[in-house]
Amino acid sequence: MAQLRIAFFDFASCEGCQIEFTNYGDVATLQLLEHVEIVEFREAMTETTDGRIDVAFVEGSFTREADRARLQEIRARARTVVAYGACACTGGINALKNHQDDFAEYVYGDAARMPHLRSGTARPISAAIKVDYEVRGCPMSKDELLLVLSNLIHGTEHWVPTYPVCVECKRRETICRYDEGDHCMGQVARAGCGAPCPADGVPCEACRGFVEDANLNALERVLVDRGGLSQRRAVGKSRMFTANPRS
Amino acid sequence: MSQRITIDVNHLTRVEGHGNIVVNVTDGVIERCEWQIPEAPRFFEAMVRGRHYSEVARITSRICGICSIGHTLASVIATEAALGIEATPQTRRLRTLLKHAENFDSHVLHVYVLVAPDLLGAPSVFPLVQTHPDVVARALRLKRLGHEWGSAIGGRSTHPTTAVPGGFTRVPRVRDLEALRDKILAAVPDLEATVDTIAALAPAIPAFERPTEYMAVSSHDEYGLFGGFVQTILADGDRASYEVADYRSCTNEYVSPLSTAKYTRNRLGSYAAGALARFNVNADMLHPEAKRVAERLGLAPVCVNPYMNPVAQVVEIVHSVHEGLRLIDELLAAGIGDELLAEPTSCGTGAAAVEVPRGILFHEYTFDAEGICTEADCIIPTGQNHGNIQLDFEALLPQLLAQDKSEDEMRLAFEMLVRAYDPCISCSTHHLDVTFVR
């Protein structure tokens, strides 16, 4: 079987999802490298390629118009584009500033008007180019990335769950955050992560985005009535990693 | 000597985030010699305003994926200082153990994946899979250990879940700590091999010296990680101390047209943060095994060669492993158990300084009576190093010109210099490219 030529690209992000890619250990990584050839990965290598890219993994949000051309070039070079991590898939945490109008002045003061400090709305990369697969989450699940890659290598269809995180908590017998006197967004959050946060004693904040047709008015009400949050906090909470879908 | 040199490295590789190197020399006259930061700015300090204190660390953690443990801890500790929350001794030990996991993890990645290829004459770690398979396998094993170590304590190594204001939402069980201790112990041979590898590569480290000011967290009890105070040292050994709450008096941020990250300075035109700065300030507090490794690798304070930063990282890798083992034994001896999260007792402003892999990190927040964040300030280590890298460039270029180096040799020297600092440019909420002309 021919090796898949894969490449990694990054935009506005913390690059934590790339770091997850380095965490497979020696056995799994060296086995993976028998099936894929990494042809471009700026953070880890100096080499670049002019040749074919089978799969481009793109991390980070699309925040500057100047990045559109870079994204289009990646699309033109790659047969398959995989957005990985919340920033690339939904805008992620970067989208929090989409609901503010004074963020640049707050951080840079009068210097905010310097041209290199301009930043627009944080958007998913799908706002600029067609995306074939998404690996959601903040950080993305490294096992899920491996599964996407495995499916691409074997030509099998990739499947992602459409149910909410609550299903995964029940499956692993995690006590509900609401029963612990806390709040949570697992009832409307996309599953697929295996629900690690509630099991670690912290609420789900929907880093993978919302399930389709999520009832967001009810989410706010539940956060207030059962979670004990103020209305303002409930609205803010519902936008943690999902500021774009809440606009 | 050629009359014209142009180096234009747009988006330097093997660094985290985006930086450019621009050097132009015409007829022997230096026209430009710049380290520029074009990273897309992300505005975290603005984004946490209006957030409840329980959410702030989970947002600021996202400043950086590789120092997310440090950003979480800086945020949590500053929040506690602002809200009058007192952490328990068990929490403090777990946080120190978690911090060592991050420094270990990040240093392994930097030394093996980002720096070693330059010293082995390879463009990246991937060709080394064929030429040096044992080195690559060892790197991947150690990286995996860092990940498992951080996850055992923090829930995850990237964006940890369990470390929150007031303590830990879940603490490791005795069997988890015992398993972690066994894994770390099993890595000790890999650690010795790491020191051997770096000792063999050390002759390839450029000899370049530029004295500057070095800044690090210091403590009377340990090799500074968090808590304590801020200390700086000059090449002549002259020291100055600052309270963490007064961090603005030693960082003095300003905006540069070269960078979307803010720059800093203190007693000199710039200062350095990171493993070498920590070593220069705190070497006497290192674990004896780490001191032995420093001696073997020829590292002694005050070292003024910035290319030696990765060597200081190797010394710290050894330190973290031995301190990690000691902390695990202490936690087991004290009897680790669940504790309720400590609650706020007041509101106001609080600051924290935490040593992340790339240097000293400051967070400061103000909270109102409802625990809502009203002000935030984060000063990132790489932002603090940018000014120092620029001054290194300006000192290095005339030396390279005098040595009549080729353009390619110069480009490599500049790139290696930047990589030595292990810049974490995406961190810089407040962040360069190389162009060269002689």
Side-chain angles (χ1 to χ4, degrees), chain B residues 131-243:
Chain B
T131 58
H132 298 75
D134 52 327
V135 175
V136 174
R138 190 200 309 143
L140 290 165
R141 279 197 299 275
L142 289 170
K143 181 69 189 70
R144 173 84 185 181
L145 170 64
H147 167 63
E148 291 183 349
W149 180 350
S151 303
I153 311 300
R156 281 195 295 241
S157 60
T158 307
H159 307 315
T161 50
T162 61
V164 300
F168 281 81
T169 57
R170 183 180 59 74
V171 298
R173 306 287 126 185
V174 167
R175 64 173 179 280
D176 301 327
L177 285 177
E178 288 173 346
L180 176 61
R181 183 178 56 189
D182 291 345
K183 282 180 189 163
I184 297 175
L185 278 172
V188 168
D190 277 347
L191 213 57
E192 288 167 4
T194 300
V195 175
D196 291 341
T197 299
I198 295 302
L201 296 178
I205 296 173
F208 165 73
E209 298 199 328
R210 190 183 73 84
T212 185
E213 182 179 10
Y214 302 91
M215 183 181 290
V217 172
S218 279
S219 155
H220 298 298
D221 309 317
E222 61 179 357
Y223 186 83
L225 285 176
F226 54 84
F229 53 98
V230 179
Q231 191 173 179
T232 75
I233 190 167
L234 301 178
D236 61 4
D238 181 50
R239 290 173 185 266
S241 295
Y242 309 86
E243 294 294 328

Side-chain angles (χ1 to χ4, degrees), chain A residues 10-27 29-30 33 38 41-48 61 63-64 67 70 87 93-98 100-109 111 114 116-120 138-139 142-143 177 183 196-197 199-203 205 207 229-230 232-233 235-241, chain B residues 11-18 37-52 54-55 58-59 61-66 105 109 113-114 123-127 129 133 136-138 140-141 143-144 147 154-159 161-162 164 169-170 255-262 368 372 374-377 415 419 426 428-431:
Chain A
D10 47 58
F11 291 83
S13 67
C14 78
E15 303 188 3
C17 293
Q18 291 176 41
I19 298 299
E20 286 295 295
F21 187 78
T22 64
N23 287 334
Y24 294 120
D26 53 342
V27 177
T29 307
L30 293 174
L33 290 177
I38 301 176
F41 191 166
R42 187 198 52 81
E43 189 173 335
M45 62 197 281
T46 299
E47 307 96 307
T48 56
S61 304
T63 63
R64 296 187 289 200
D67 292 335
R70 245 185 92 209
C87 296
I93 207 93
N94 297 323
L96 281 174
K97 76 178 166 67
N98 295 355
Q100 301 182 345
D101 50 23
D102 65 337
F103 55 84
E105 288 74 18
Y106 184 72
V107 173
Y108 293 105
M114 292 162 87
H116 66 303
L117 300 178
R118 280 189 201 130
S119 171
C138 183
K142 63 179 187 300
D143 295 338
R177 293 310 304 156
H183 62 274
C197 296
D200 282 348
V202 293
E205 291 173 330
C207 68
L229 271 57
S230 68
R232 184 178 163 214
R233 259 197 79 191
V235 172
K237 172 62 80 175
S238 71
R239 285 188 179 142
M240 273 295 273
F241 289 91
Chain B
H11 292 181
L12 175 63
T13 59
R14 288 191 279 125
V15 298
E16 213 222 354
H18 301 87
I37 310 297
E39 182 79 16
R42 294 189 299 143
F43 308 101
F44 277 89
E45 293 138 316
M47 297 193 301
V48 296
R49 291 174 302 163
R51 287 280 160 187
H52 189 256
S54 64
E55 298 167 348
R58 284 202 289 275
I59 295 174
S61 167
R62 270 69 187 184
I63 291 173
C64 176
I66 192 159
D105 192 38
L109 185 71
V113 178
L114 308 184
S124 77
V125 72
F126 299 110
V129 173
V136 174
R138 190 200 309 143
L140 290 165
R141 279 197 299 275
K143 181 69 189 70
R144 173 84 185 181
H147 167 63
R156 281 195 295 241
S157 60
T158 307
H159 307 315
T161 50
T162 61
V164 300
T169 57
R170 183 180 59 74
V255 173
S256 162
L258 293 181
S259 164
T260 52
K262 291 182 184 172
D368 68 16
I372 303 295
T374 57
E375 300 283 343
D377 186 34
E415 290 191 0
R419 285 190 195 111
S426 50
S428 298
T429 39
H430 318 268
H431 266 236

Side-chain angles (χ1 to χ4, degrees), chain B residues 6 57 102 179 293 334 365 404 430:
Chain B
T6 305
E102 175 175 82
V293 167
Y365 305 98
D404 206 17
H430 318 268

Side-chain angles (χ1 to χ4, degrees), chain B residues 2 22 34 45 54 122 189 220 231 253 263 315 321 326 354 359 434:
Chain B
S2 64
V22 181
E34 293 176 358
E45 293 138 316
S54 64
H220 298 298
Q231 191 173 179
E253 274 193 308
Y263 282 27
V315 171
V321 159
R326 184 182 65 79
V354 172
V434 189

Side-chain angles (χ1 to χ4, degrees), chain A residues 14-244:
Chain A
C14 78
E15 303 188 3
C17 293
Q18 291 176 41
I19 298 299
E20 286 295 295
F21 187 78
T22 64
N23 287 334
Y24 294 120
D26 53 342
V27 177
T29 307
L30 293 174
Q31 281 178 1
L32 179 62
L33 290 177
E34 290 172 17
H35 300 285
V36 301
E37 181 189 358
I38 301 176
V39 293
E40 199 164 319
F41 191 166
R42 187 198 52 81
E43 189 173 335
M45 62 197 281
T46 299
E47 307 96 307
T48 56
T49 181
D50 295 326
R52 184 189 89 243
I53 296 173
D54 292 317
V55 189
F57 289 95
V58 182
E59 178 182 22
S61 304
F62 166 41
T63 63
R64 296 187 289 200
E65 203 45 42
D67 292 335
R68 184 187 295 274
R70 245 185 92 209
L71 281 163
Q72 286 171 337
E73 189 200 325
I74 292 165
R75 181 70 259 188
R77 292 168 64 196
R79 206 177 64 195
T80 301
V81 171
V82 180
Y84 74 116
C87 296
C89 294
T90 66
I93 207 93
N94 297 323
L96 281 174
K97 76 178 166 67
N98 295 355
H99 296 271
Q100 301 182 345
D101 50 23
D102 65 337
F103 55 84
E105 288 74 18
Y106 184 72
V107 173
Y108 293 105
D110 290 343
R113 280 186 295 276
M114 292 162 87
H116 66 303
L117 300 178
R118 280 189 201 130
S119 171
T121 307
R123 285 177 286 178
I125 63 163
S126 60
I129 58 169
K130 176 175 173 277
V131 169
D132 300 297
Y133 298 96
E134 290 180 334
V135 183
R136 294 189 173 215
C138 183
M140 60 118 197
S141 151
K142 63 179 187 300
D143 295 338
E144 194 178 352
L145 185 90
L146 211 49
L147 191 60
V148 169
L149 207 43
S150 171
N151 285 328
L152 285 167
I153 291 168
H154 297 99
T156 45
E157 198 166 330
H158 185 64
W159 175 84
V160 277
T162 51
Y163 47 74
V165 167
C166 285
V167 172
E168 294 184 328
C169 271
K170 301 294 168 290
R171 191 182 288 150
R172 65 187 282 179
E173 300 183 358
T174 301
I175 297 172
C176 181
R177 293 310 304 156
Y178 286 97
D179 291 334
E180 297 268 21
D182 197 1
H183 62 274
C184 192
M185 289 169 60
Q187 61 275 30
V188 289
R190 275 189 201 222
C193 51
C197 296
D200 282 348
V202 293
C204 168
E205 291 173 330
C207 68
R208 296 172 62 94
F210 293 126
V211 292
E212 276 182 40
D213 299 325
N215 186 340
L216 301 179
N217 292 326
L219 167 68
E220 280 178 25
R221 207 162 60 239
V222 169
L223 288 170
V224 172
D225 294 347
R226 286 205 61 201
L229 271 57
S230 68
Q231 181 66 30
R232 184 178 163 214
R233 259 197 79 191
V235 172
K237 172 62 80 175
S238 71
R239 285 188 179 142
M240 273 295 273
F241 289 91
T242 47
N244 275 335

